[in-house]
Amino acid sequence: MKEESLTGAQILAESLKAQEVEYMFGIVGVPVIEVAMAAQAVGIKYVGMRNEQAACYAASAVGYLTGRPGACLVVSGPGLIHALGGMANANVNCWPVVVIGGSSDRNQENMGAFQEFPQVEACRLYSKFCARPSSLDAIPLVVEKAVRSSIYGRPGACYIDIAGDMVNATIDKSKVQYIPCCLPPPVSMAEPCAIAKTLSILRSSQRPLLIIGKGAAYARAEKNINEFVDRCGLPFLPTPMGKGVVSDDHPNCVAAARSRALLHADVIVLLGARLNWMLHFGLPPRYHPDVKFIQVDICAEELGNNVKPSVALLGDIKAVVQQLLEYVQEQPWKYPSSSEWWKILKDKIKENEDASQELALQKSLPMNYYTVFHCIRKLLPRDCLIVSEGANTMDIGRTILKNFLPRHRLDAGTFGTMGVGLGFAIAAAMVAKDHYPEQRVVCIEGDSAFGFSGMEAETICRYNLPIIIIVVNNNGIYSGLDEDTWNEMTKLGEPATVVPPVSLLPNTHYEQVMSAFRGKGYFIQTPLELQKAVEASLLDSRTPALLNVMIDPSSDRKKQDFHWLTRSNL
């Protein structure tokens, strides 16, 4: 009897399925079309994107949201190169993803083959592990190692190269041995003496602060951290994607007094947050010169970066916080709510919220950022997943739009990557459809950020994903020009010589893109129009929508104690 045979594409798909990879995003072409078809045949959901970079963003976001890497499938040469941006973003964000790239046939190496490129070598800079299987029967082993490497230790990107001639090559089924699904990442705990020292320092502190990062969200540490915050009465500051680990409406949240909290805290506990640019490296003038840092991180190499910690707690965040809880249960302690520190923080919170509310109540048109965001905040469901990117759009949205659940905020992240929004939104909507079918995904972008991946609106409509895109349109990057100023400037000469580099075409009707893709579009100029459009979009969960919200091109943030980035005078 003739042995049943399998193709390389089928083995690759079955191997991914064995490692519990549920989603694949990509753009097909020679030589990987059969890989996508084989993936669908084994039950992996394939989402065809319009750009490889967005596909990789989506696959990595799945890794963050679910704890299992998404797969990103790309063609050789330029296709793989386009995905490198997504791989770099995943690595810097510490999100698991497995990129699979087709490559030139093995017998044509070094001959100038179609789209020939040193793909494995190129990916070493952007990944934790990369390899090309040496034979068809080696594919399961390489896939298992890639998935395991992507989630063990500090999560990140991994790359698998599949030669074009291996995709349709066949082997007897009996010769293929699939590798069982890798075990969950091992859980490590901090040294008991470090736990004791941490609590000793906290007990003696006058102005303590917890900073909750996206590492805590990825670690599913929300239950333990909520209990720790409540038991110890500590003020906490979430990083942008740490929002929702403890609800933003928790009375101990001091996000609205961020600069004041960082500047005056004498002890700061970092839970899955890094002292990089987003936290101003832990250095003066943003911090008190004598502040003590207590770092909790899964990666030993991260401990001590930029600032020497008073205590280094190496381990899984969920497990380490459980250790802290057990210590507090044995020796109860709670930071007093009547302290001067709490008074300072609450006064600053009220001051900032009052200033924000004053801006939101302005009746002038075009609207400003605060009017837009305060209107949106009143209407969004508590369980919606918010995706956000852009300069002021993202920064102001971080402070006004609240998150009440963990892993419900996705934005430009540690790498500060613009263009991630629609890829992230597509990933979030795919996961929500399978696990939280009533949840909505709201993607709020600046007009510049939307332009990076705007054609993914077609992907959203093709798969009928319940996504609401809100483009906060100020006609530019950071700021733009109104139509009258634009017309006057362009009379003076060619736009390339007279128009400011930050300007985009005024009053662009981005909402009309959705008409081409059978979605719904709204052009919005007033708060009432915005309210009606948001309400209508939330009610119609079957049709993707884009709300193009026009704001004052010169609208800016309220006055800051410290500017987020200070290099530009714009």
Side-chain angles (χ1 to χ4, degrees):
M1 185 174 68
K2 185 178 180 181
E3 289 282 351
E4 185 180 352
S5 62
L6 295 171
T7 66
Q10 290 173 316
I11 298 168
L12 182 56
E14 290 283 4
S15 300
L16 290 167
K17 186 70 174 177
Q19 299 306 318
E20 298 181 0
V21 173
E22 294 185 69
Y23 303 94
M24 178 181 285
F25 304 83
I27 298 180
V28 296
V30 176
V32 298
I33 297 173
E34 291 84 358
V35 175
M37 295 172 67
Q40 288 180 317
V42 300
I44 295 173
K45 294 187 176 180
Y46 175 80
V47 178
M49 305 284 284
R50 302 303 300 264
N51 181 278
E52 292 89 354
Q53 200 169 63
C56 198
Y57 294 148
S60 65
V62 160
Y64 173 66
L65 294 170
T66 69
R68 303 296 298 185
C72 174
L73 180 67
V74 298
V75 299
S76 51
L80 183 276
I81 291 169
H82 292 165
L84 293 179
M87 291 176 68
N89 189 67
N91 251 12
V92 175
N93 267 347
C94 306
W95 289 0
V97 65
V98 174
V99 177
I100 301 161
S103 61
S104 307
D105 291 359
R106 289 169 294 179
N107 64 354
Q108 296 176 353
E109 285 184 3
N110 303 312
M111 295 175 64
F114 175 67
Q115 295 186 334
E116 184 175 4
F117 188 74
Q119 296 180 185
V120 175
E121 294 88 338
C123 288
R124 293 196 196 282
L125 282 174
Y126 304 92
S127 59
K128 295 179 65 181
F129 166 78
C130 52
R132 171 191 278 193
S134 58
S135 59
L136 295 183
D137 58 341
I139 290 175
L141 185 145
V142 170
V143 170
E144 188 276 340
K145 186 167 184 179
V147 171
R148 176 164 44 87
S149 298
S150 76
I151 60 176
Y152 275 35
R154 173 179 276 180
C158 293
Y159 176 67
I160 299 171
D161 195 77
I162 184 82
D165 58 303
M166 292 179 70
V167 171
N168 290 312
T170 59
I171 186 174
D172 288 344
K173 185 176 181 179
S174 61
K175 295 181 179 179
V176 179
Q177 292 188 342
Y178 294 105
I179 311 296
C181 186
C182 61
L183 295 172
V187 175
S188 56
M189 295 190 290
E191 297 176 354
C193 62
I195 295 292
K197 187 175 181 182
T198 294
L199 269 300
S200 174
I201 291 174
L202 279 173
R203 288 175 192 273
S204 62
S205 67
Q206 299 297 310
R207 301 180 303 279
L209 179 68
L210 295 181
I211 297 181
I212 302 171
K214 68 175 176 290
Y218 180 81
R220 272 54 179 178
E222 54 268 16
K223 182 176 181 294
N224 289 351
I225 293 176
N226 271 272
E227 186 176 347
F228 187 64
V229 168
D230 289 337
R231 277 184 176 272
C232 297
L234 294 167
F236 72 89
L237 174 69
T239 64
M241 279 190 275
K243 287 165 65 68
V245 170
V246 182
S247 176
D248 282 349
D249 64 356
H250 192 287
N252 290 31
C253 180
V254 297
R258 182 183 189 273
S259 293
R260 187 66 53 88
L262 295 180
L263 180 60
H264 294 290
D266 63 355
V267 174
I268 295 178
V269 182
L270 297 162
L271 297 175
R274 292 173 279 177
L275 291 176
N276 52 25
W277 69 275
M278 294 186 75
L279 286 175
H280 317 288
F281 314 107
L283 300 172
R286 299 304 299 265
Y287 294 82
H288 192 280
D290 299 322
V291 63
K292 294 179 180 178
F293 285 101
I294 298 168
Q295 277 186 281
V296 183
D297 206 287
I298 199 170
C299 177
E301 290 80 2
E302 186 61 39
L303 301 171
N305 271 349
N306 299 318
V307 175
K308 182 179 179 180
S310 297
V311 188
L313 298 165
L314 176 63
D316 175 82
I317 296 166
K318 183 178 178 180
V320 171
V321 177
Q322 181 62 39
Q323 289 179 278
L324 292 169
L325 280 169
E326 290 169 359
Y327 195 96
V328 172
Q329 288 167 358
E330 293 174 4
Q331 301 183 35
W333 167 77
K334 189 164 188 175
Y335 183 71
S337 59
S338 59
S339 68
E340 181 64 21
W341 180 226
W342 265 121
K343 182 179 184 305
I344 291 170
L345 292 173
K346 287 178 179 177
D347 287 348
K348 187 61 177 177
I349 288 170
K350 186 176 186 309
E351 178 188 331
N352 284 342
E353 288 181 344
D354 287 349
S356 173
Q357 185 68 23
E358 183 180 345
L359 287 166
L361 293 174
Q362 290 182 2
K363 302 296 185 183
S364 59
L365 295 177
M367 295 180 283
N368 64 46
Y369 284 105
Y370 293 87
T371 304
V372 170
F373 281 120
H374 276 272
C375 180
I376 293 170
R377 183 172 75 174
K378 295 175 185 176
L379 301 171
L380 293 186
R382 285 179 67 90
D383 65 350
C384 79
L385 199 150
I386 299 171
V387 181
S388 183
E389 63 172 332
N392 288 336
T393 300
M394 181 173 62
D395 291 344
I396 298 171
R398 284 168 171 167
T399 62
I400 298 178
L401 300 178
K402 296 186 180 296
N403 285 92
F404 308 100
L405 296 169
R407 296 170 298 281
H408 278 58
R409 173 70 67 127
L410 299 170
D411 70 13
T414 309
F415 213 23
T417 309
M418 294 300 158
V420 296
L422 295 189
F424 284 0
I426 289 166
M430 290 297 296
V431 172
K433 281 181 76 172
D434 289 342
H435 301 283
Y436 317 102
E438 299 304 316
Q439 285 191 1
R440 300 301 300 274
V441 177
V442 180
C443 183
I444 304 173
E445 310 207 302
D447 48 329
S448 170
F450 176 74
F452 281 93
S453 55
M455 274 302 291
E456 298 302 340
E458 186 274 333
T459 308
I460 291 169
C461 292
R462 185 174 5 124
Y463 290 96
N464 199 30
L465 297 175
I467 296 170
I468 300 170
I469 305 166
I470 301 177
V471 177
V472 183
N473 188 349
N474 70 345
N475 299 338
I477 305 167
Y478 303 111
S479 62
L481 302 174
D482 60 41
E483 197 151 19
D484 289 341
T485 306
W486 172 278
N487 291 336
E488 288 301 317
M489 278 194 167
T490 52
K491 288 177 183 176
L492 300 175
E494 287 291 328
T497 60
V498 299
V499 171
V502 295
S503 298
L504 300 174
L505 188 67
N507 300 338
T508 299
H509 283 260
Y510 295 109
E511 79 286 350
Q512 293 184 4
V513 169
M514 297 303 276
S515 301
F517 304 140
R518 304 171 197 169
K520 287 190 175 179
Y522 301 85
F523 186 74
I524 294 163
Q525 295 177 294
T526 69
L528 182 59
E529 290 173 350
L530 176 58
Q531 178 184 333
K532 289 181 176 179
V534 173
E535 289 174 342
S537 300
L538 287 170
L539 281 173
D540 185 1
S541 60
R542 297 169 299 175
T543 309
L546 189 153
L547 285 58
N548 185 19
V549 184
M550 304 306 302
I551 67 168
D552 186 342
S554 61
S555 179
D556 201 357
R557 303 180 67 184
K558 64 180 178 60
K559 191 177 185 303
Q560 303 292 299
D561 292 337
F562 292 92
H563 288 287
W564 184 248
L565 291 174
T566 57
R567 289 182 182 173
S568 175
N569 292 320
L570 291 170

